[in-house]
Amino acid sequence: MSPQNAGKPASKGLVTGVVVFYLVAALSMVMANKWVLNTTDTPLFFLQMQLMIAVILFLFSDTMRFLPDRLTFDLKICKGLVPMVGLNVIGLSFSNYTLKYVDASFYQVARGLVLPFTVGTSFIVLHSRPSLRIILACVVVTLGFFVGVFLDGTHVSLVGVSFGVVSSVITATHSVVIKQSLNVVNGSALLLSWYTNLLSAIVLVPIIFLAGEVPGVIKLLFGVDELVRSAGTMSALQTFLWGSAITGVLGFLMSIASLLSIKVTSPITHMISSAVRGVAASLLGMWLFHDIITTGRASSIGIILFGSLYYTWVKHQESQPAISKEYDRVPMDDVEAGLRKENPKPE
């Protein structure tokens, strides 16, 4: 990015295209992830496979000169991206665990506290004091979260909800850290995505051992039960391999889409697009996985969406300059002097 364009705002067409691109990639990612996580007990190994496939696609694209920037590997940059990589690994891991323990239709509710945590993080890190209307929007969203957790007629996994809450905290912090991490790679979202995927895949190796997933990985790859397929369905290993390939490609697109979304828009727009994605994911979960949408769950999603939309409207209103501040009151003597000058008396 050149200095001349650094401060130039993105066009509406570019912003719209990036947001739509992010929504499609992210929504497809959630559905594909849920499909695989329903059949595997190794969510971290599955995540590493996704990251490794994304890394391979980065290297292939770089070799074929498909990318606008050449990929590099600089230890100084790696050190500067330690907070970014740490949050990325934790955030993706907890998101996978959340999706494993809750229905796809409940995923939006389990991670419904992203908005309040985003506002709180902006206040703590960026010293951005929220207005009363912003706080009201956060209260509405928080109310929607508690409605979904405690008033839902179906069984809710508290473990999944806990993972969702932690994932929401990481997501809120992540949007701020991405903005700061772009400075480490001279504003290149592509290089930031490359380093994040590569380093996250490396960091996950010891975590998989510490999490005790090695026996599950061995069972998945060499177990007899995982190779057996029922009539009309794939085996667990086939599902894992196909799912890894699909989500790996989607993850490659998703990593670029999410970073571009934050770079050319704002953390707020990125968060709102995530909320819209969550609602669509709930409807697709009902259709693809036969999830049950109870009145409590539907009300929760509706309240969270309403609070998010109200928040967006308030932020738009607050960003508009006040008309009264654009004009200074002119003394009446100056007005009369100007009128006399424009309409001189005949002699």
Side-chain angles (χ1 to χ4, degrees), residues 256-289:
I256 297 177
S258 59
L259 289 172
L260 286 175
S261 176
I262 290 181
K263 184 177 180 181
V264 307
T265 61
S266 67
I268 302 306
T269 307
H270 179 73
M271 183 276 305
I272 294 300
S273 62
S274 298
V276 174
R277 177 200 66 188
V279 174
S282 299
L283 298 176
L284 284 177
M286 180 178 60
W287 177 49
L288 296 175
F289 303 110

Side-chain angles (χ1 to χ4, degrees), residues 41-102:
D41 295 324
T42 57
L44 294 181
F45 179 63
F46 176 50
L47 175 60
Q48 190 196 31
M49 290 293 292
Q50 295 173 349
L51 294 172
M52 289 302 299
I53 291 175
V55 168
I56 293 173
L57 290 175
F58 268 112
L59 292 175
F60 174 78
S61 301
D62 182 62
T63 302
M64 301 301 294
R65 303 294 194 272
F66 292 153
L67 304 177
D69 299 328
R70 295 307 307 271
L71 300 182
T72 62
F73 186 80
D74 190 333
L75 291 178
K76 184 178 180 181
I77 293 179
C78 294
K79 293 179 181 179
L81 295 178
V82 168
M84 171 72 180
V85 174
L87 286 174
N88 187 65
V89 171
I90 297 174
L92 290 177
S93 300
F94 276 75
S95 294
N96 267 13
Y97 275 114
T98 303
L99 195 56
K100 179 174 177 58
Y101 286 103
V102 303

Side-chain angles (χ1 to χ4, degrees), residues 43-270:
L44 294 181
F45 179 63
F46 176 50
L47 175 60
Q48 190 196 31
M49 290 293 292
Q50 295 173 349
L51 294 172
M52 289 302 299
I53 291 175
V55 168
I56 293 173
L57 290 175
F58 268 112
L59 292 175
F60 174 78
S61 301
D62 182 62
T63 302
M64 301 301 294
R65 303 294 194 272
F66 292 153
L67 304 177
D69 299 328
R70 295 307 307 271
L71 300 182
T72 62
F73 186 80
D74 190 333
L75 291 178
K76 184 178 180 181
I77 293 179
C78 294
K79 293 179 181 179
L81 295 178
V82 168
M84 171 72 180
V85 174
L87 286 174
N88 187 65
V89 171
I90 297 174
L92 290 177
S93 300
F94 276 75
S95 294
N96 267 13
Y97 275 114
T98 303
L99 195 56
K100 179 174 177 58
Y101 286 103
V102 303
D103 296 337
S105 61
F106 193 76
Y107 184 68
Q108 162 70 9
V109 179
R111 301 184 72 252
L113 294 179
V114 172
L115 172 57
F117 287 137
T118 300
V119 174
T121 302
S122 298
F123 174 70
I124 296 174
V125 178
L126 304 178
H127 306 289
S128 176
R129 184 181 297 274
S131 64
L132 290 177
R133 292 191 297 175
I134 293 295
I135 295 176
L136 176 61
C138 293
V139 170
V140 172
V141 171
T142 305
L143 175 63
F145 169 79
F146 284 111
V147 167
V149 172
F150 295 106
L151 298 182
D152 191 5
T154 58
H155 172 71
V156 176
S157 172
L158 294 181
V159 175
V161 172
S162 300
F163 281 128
V165 171
V166 177
S167 176
S168 299
V169 176
I170 300 302
T171 300
T173 309
H174 200 228
S175 62
V176 176
V177 173
I178 286 178
K179 285 286 190 179
Q180 299 172 345
S181 299
L182 281 170
N183 297 327
V184 180
V185 291
N186 298 321
S188 174
L190 177 65
L191 286 180
L192 181 59
S193 180
W194 153 249
Y195 276 101
T196 301
N197 280 274
L198 175 63
L199 298 178
S200 297
I202 296 174
V203 170
L204 269 174
V205 174
I207 296 179
I208 290 174
F209 281 89
L210 294 175
E213 285 195 3
V214 175
V217 173
I218 296 176
K219 179 182 177 182
L220 174 68
L221 298 179
F222 306 104
V224 177
D225 294 338
E226 275 63 28
L227 298 176
V228 177
R229 53 180 297 181
S230 303
T233 61
M234 292 187 293
S235 66
L237 181 58
Q238 287 177 318
T239 302
F240 183 88
L241 294 178
W242 275 105
S244 297
I246 294 172
T247 55
V249 175
L250 290 174
F252 173 70
L253 298 176
M254 175 70 178
S255 60
I256 297 177
S258 59
L259 289 172
L260 286 175
S261 176
I262 290 181
K263 184 177 180 181
V264 307
T265 61
S266 67
I268 302 306
T269 307
H270 179 73

